[in-house]
Amino acid sequence: MIGYGAILVALAGLLMTLPHFISEPYRYDNTSPEDMPQDFKASLCLPTTSAPASAPSNGNCSSYTETQHLSVVGIMFVAQTLLGVGGVPIQPFGISYIDDFAHNSNSPLYLGILFAVTMMGPGLAFGLGSLMLRLYVDINQMPEGGISLTIKDPRWVGAWWLGFLIAAGAVALAAIPYFFFPKEMPKEKRELQFRRKVLAVTDSPARKGKDPPSKQSPGESTKKQDGLVQIAPNLTVIQFIKVFPRVLLQTLRHPIFLLVVLSQVCLSSMAAGMATFLPKFLERQFSITASYANLLIGCLSFPSVIVGIVVGGVLVKRLHLGPVGCGALCLLGMLLCLFFSLPLFFIGCSSHQIAGITHQTSAHPGLELSPSCMEACSCPLDGFDPVCDPSTRVEYITPCHAGCSSWVVQDALDNSQVFYTNCSCVVEGNPVLAGSCDSTCSHLVVPFLLLVSLGSALACLTHTPSFMLILRGVKKEDKTLAVGIQFMFLRILAWMPSPVIHGSAIDTTCVHWALSCGRRAVCRYYNNDLLRNRFIGLQFFFKTGSVICFALVLAVLRQQDKEARTKESRPSPAVEQQLLVSGPGKKPEDSRV
């Protein structure tokens, strides 16, 4: 099943690349890509009579084009659905497979290694994505004469599809070995036999002179457990459907299972938001390129996640942590994670001034996009070719909005720079530089990501202990079902709604939307302070929920442990009757329990 799932994931990856090959080439302006000088002239301030209106863009608003775009998005939705279905088997089957055939003392370490290696995938993917985004999206069909965009241009689109193609091939190769595993896996017998001998030697002196407890022999006990385990495979589909609701309710009524799953839902919601929008957040907050943002995440965040998962598994194994110890470790990790998240609210960059949006000289914000200095121009309403005034650090949406009527290219050693001149809306008519204004605090991105990585490592300390709480808290025959239910809740309650919640919160911080066919399309500018507070605030909210759940888990475990100790210390009814029968002349040691 894991092998078939991997093949389905590979097919989904290939399907994800299909929209690139059936769509038209990417156009970042309204002119022909073969004529590079027209790229600069298209955004200049030209007289109303000679400047073309935004008619060329209206050709993209036909019903046929819109239907074509919807079909492409539909293909991507189907591919993502297949990707989710194919990725399901390896989690419940793989975890249960390892826990069944590994020794109990080694199972936490093996699961920690499994989770750590699993997190290497996203880390390598972010690194691969960073390399792919440095390549132009249409690298397989470049226009003659090349393109005039650079990787720092906000209109740049990288080769997003190439990473899916490479990953699909890698997954297809990784699926092959799964079809050659034996039907049954031998348990770690040597270590098990050695531990039995050690226990027999250590327990034999203590058992001398005492009556052996009345219990089943090891062979009978093993047969009984094996019989419980073998019931599930022998059930028919109809019988399994009849039994499933009872097992599901029995599993959900387990308080530890339910609280641990809810805590993992909070952690997965946090992880889903980070994985989906952290590159975009860094790109907008610190004015860095998408390639550099992916590179930083792949080099800092995911290695720390791997370290956290491995350390959590090692601590459980080395310290021989029981349920109470695992609960305490989870709570401690989340409390430290919450503490190191507080400085993130104060590390960031404020939005720079944007003419007509955040830099206004009148009480009518909507009119400032068309001030009197550019009345003679016919600027396109949907144009986006930002320029920056280096002297005042004011950004304009297009050279036309700055009132610029000419342009100059200055050749440098590494690359050429484009300056727009004769700008009527710029102070003292200074030339403006093509591209967005650089941020004055881009250097803060590394400290910010280091704190994020530290918090991720502390949160991932809880990964293996929380799984051990689930695996040790349910019956052996229900283990695979419990893990499957757990991942079902994680998908439904975390990985599906969390990106939508984070995306909606980010959209509320937008201050300027681009229009496409008269409708709102992509956000061009955000309020950075509001963006940071709401994005980090959502993360803080989910971390707080996880802390509360783990605190309840620890409280329930301590209560259960206390009740178990009280039950053990309380004498049985037969012993109590013997104590009553014995007279007062008896010595205390004769009536000792």
Side-chain angles (χ1 to χ4, degrees):
M1 290 298 294
I2 294 174
Y4 288 132
I7 291 177
L8 192 61
V9 169
L11 293 176
L14 293 176
L15 193 61
M16 279 293 295
T17 65
L18 185 61
H20 170 74
F21 295 100
I22 65 176
S23 300
E24 59 184 10
Y26 170 59
R27 300 289 177 88
Y28 54 88
D29 59 5
N30 296 329
T31 61
S32 175
E34 284 80 9
D35 194 4
M36 285 180 55
Q38 292 297 326
D39 297 345
F40 306 117
K41 292 182 180 179
S43 300
L44 292 178
C45 176
L46 301 176
T48 307
T49 55
S50 60
S54 57
S57 62
N58 294 334
N60 297 326
C61 299
S62 63
S63 59
Y64 170 76
T65 304
E66 190 171 357
T67 304
Q68 187 181 18
H69 289 173
L70 290 177
S71 63
V72 168
V73 174
I75 292 174
M76 300 181 79
F77 281 170
V78 172
Q80 288 288 328
T81 303
L82 295 178
L83 189 63
V85 173
V88 166
I90 196 170
Q91 295 290 353
F93 292 159
I95 293 172
S96 180
Y97 198 85
I98 290 176
D99 193 59
D100 284 340
F101 295 109
H103 192 269
N104 289 342
S105 63
N106 289 335
S107 180
L109 180 62
Y110 292 161
L111 290 178
I113 295 174
L114 171 67
F115 297 140
V117 173
T118 302
M119 294 309 299
M120 287 176 59
L124 294 174
F126 271 99
L128 178 64
S130 175
L131 296 176
M132 297 301 104
L133 292 177
R134 292 178 178 271
L135 306 175
Y136 186 61
V137 61
D138 292 322
I139 190 174
N140 60 323
Q141 45 184 353
M142 291 287 287
E144 296 181 3
I147 57 173
S148 60
L149 290 182
T150 63
I151 190 173
K152 292 185 177 182
D153 196 302
R155 296 171 297 169
W156 173 274
V157 176
W160 59 269
W161 53 274
L162 198 54
F164 284 101
L165 202 61
I166 297 174
V171 173
L173 293 176
I176 297 175
Y178 284 102
F179 296 99
F180 296 95
F181 275 86
K183 291 186 177 180
E184 291 186 3
M185 201 73 164
K187 197 175 178 67
E188 293 179 325
K189 294 181 179 178
R190 294 180 181 178
E191 183 176 356
L192 189 59
Q193 292 174 356
F194 175 75
R195 289 178 181 272
R196 283 177 177 174
K197 291 179 180 179
V198 173
L199 290 175
V201 172
T202 56
D203 291 346
S204 56
R207 293 182 179 179
K208 288 182 179 180
K210 295 183 179 179
D211 296 333
S214 59
K215 63 177 183 179
Q216 293 179 336
S217 63
E220 293 177 356
S221 178
T222 305
K223 288 181 181 179
K224 185 177 180 180
Q225 291 181 359
D226 291 343
L228 292 173
V229 176
Q230 292 173 358
I231 290 177
N234 296 329
L235 292 177
T236 63
V237 177
I238 298 177
Q239 291 173 335
F240 176 76
I241 293 175
K242 291 180 179 179
V243 174
F244 178 76
R246 181 172 59 85
V247 178
L248 178 62
L249 291 176
Q250 181 181 356
T251 306
L252 290 179
R253 283 190 296 181
H254 197 292
I256 300 300
F257 175 81
L258 193 59
L259 288 171
V260 171
V261 168
L262 289 177
S263 179
Q264 289 186 341
V265 164
C266 294
L267 287 175
S268 297
S269 299
M270 178 192 70
M274 278 284 186
T276 308
F277 292 105
L278 184 58
K280 179 185 180 70
F281 175 81
L282 296 178
E283 184 182 351
R284 295 291 185 173
Q285 187 71 208
F286 301 99
S287 299
I288 60 177
T289 63
S291 175
Y292 185 51
N294 283 306
L295 182 63
L296 286 176
I297 295 172
C299 293
L300 293 178
S301 293
F302 281 96
S304 66
V305 169
I306 295 172
V307 170
I309 293 176
V310 172
V311 170
V314 171
L315 288 176
V316 174
K317 177 179 171 61
R318 292 296 183 187
L319 301 179
H320 303 287
L321 296 180
V324 176
C326 288
L329 179 60
C330 292
L331 181 59
L332 179 62
M334 286 310 304
L335 284 174
L336 292 175
C337 174
L338 201 65
F339 174 75
F340 285 105
S341 299
L342 291 174
L344 297 179
F345 285 99
F346 310 101
I347 302 177
C349 307
S350 300
S351 302
H352 54 268
Q353 294 181 335
I354 305 163
I357 299 175
T358 61
H359 180 67
Q360 299 161 356
T361 57
S362 72
H364 304 284
L367 300 178
E368 283 301 303
L369 285 175
S370 301
S372 58
C373 58
M374 50 170 286
E375 288 180 352
C377 311
S378 58
C379 300
L381 296 177
D382 56 351
F384 184 67
D385 184 12
V387 293
C388 177
D389 182 6
S391 60
T392 60
R393 298 190 57 80
V394 175
E395 185 172 322
Y396 300 86
I397 298 178
T398 65
C400 182
H401 287 82
C404 304
S405 58
S406 60
W407 56 278
V408 176
V409 178
Q410 290 185 357
D411 294 328
L413 295 177
D414 51 351
N415 56 0
S416 57
Q417 291 183 331
V418 180
F419 286 90
Y420 292 91
T421 57
N422 298 329
C423 304
S424 58
C425 297
V426 179
V427 179
E428 299 180 358
N430 294 328
V432 293
L433 180 64
S436 296
C437 295
D438 294 330
S439 176
T440 57
C441 60
S442 297
H443 59 282
L444 294 177
V445 65
V446 175
F448 180 89
L449 208 53
L450 285 175
L451 278 176
V452 170
S453 303
L454 180 59
S456 301
L458 292 170
C460 289
L461 280 177
T462 68
H463 205 276
T464 303
S466 61
F467 265 96
M468 298 312 299
L469 287 173
I470 292 176
L471 294 176
R472 297 292 178 262
V474 297
K475 295 180 180 179
K476 187 174 182 180
E477 61 268 22
D478 298 336
K479 192 183 302 180
T480 305
L481 181 63
V483 176
I485 294 172
Q486 172 198 9
F487 279 95
M488 178 187 71
F489 279 116
L490 294 183
R491 296 286 178 123
I492 295 176
L493 300 179
W495 290 98
M496 288 178 63
S498 178
V500 179
I501 295 172
H502 281 80
S504 300
I506 290 174
D507 282 347
T508 59
T509 65
C510 183
V511 294
H512 178 65
W513 290 92
L515 298 178
S516 177
C517 303
R519 290 178 295 183
R520 195 174 73 174
V522 66
C523 181
R524 298 298 190 190
Y525 297 104
Y526 292 90
N527 183 333
N528 282 355
D529 293 331
L530 201 58
L531 172 64
R532 181 175 64 256
N533 290 334
R534 293 190 177 177
F535 183 76
I536 302 301
L538 267 178
Q539 297 286 306
F540 195 85
F541 171 77
F542 288 122
K543 293 175 184 177
T544 304
S546 181
V547 168
I548 294 173
C549 290
F550 277 131
L552 293 175
V553 167
L554 186 59
V556 173
L557 287 173
R558 285 184 173 178
Q559 182 65 25
Q560 291 179 351
D561 190 53
K562 184 178 179 181
E563 292 177 356
R565 290 180 180 179
T566 305
K567 188 175 182 181
E568 290 178 358
S569 62
R570 184 181 302 167
S572 62
V575 176
E576 289 180 354
Q577 185 177 3
Q578 185 178 359
L579 291 173
L580 293 174
V581 171
S582 60
K586 294 284 184 178
K587 295 182 180 180
E589 55 266 23
D590 294 338
S591 61
R592 186 176 300 160
V593 178

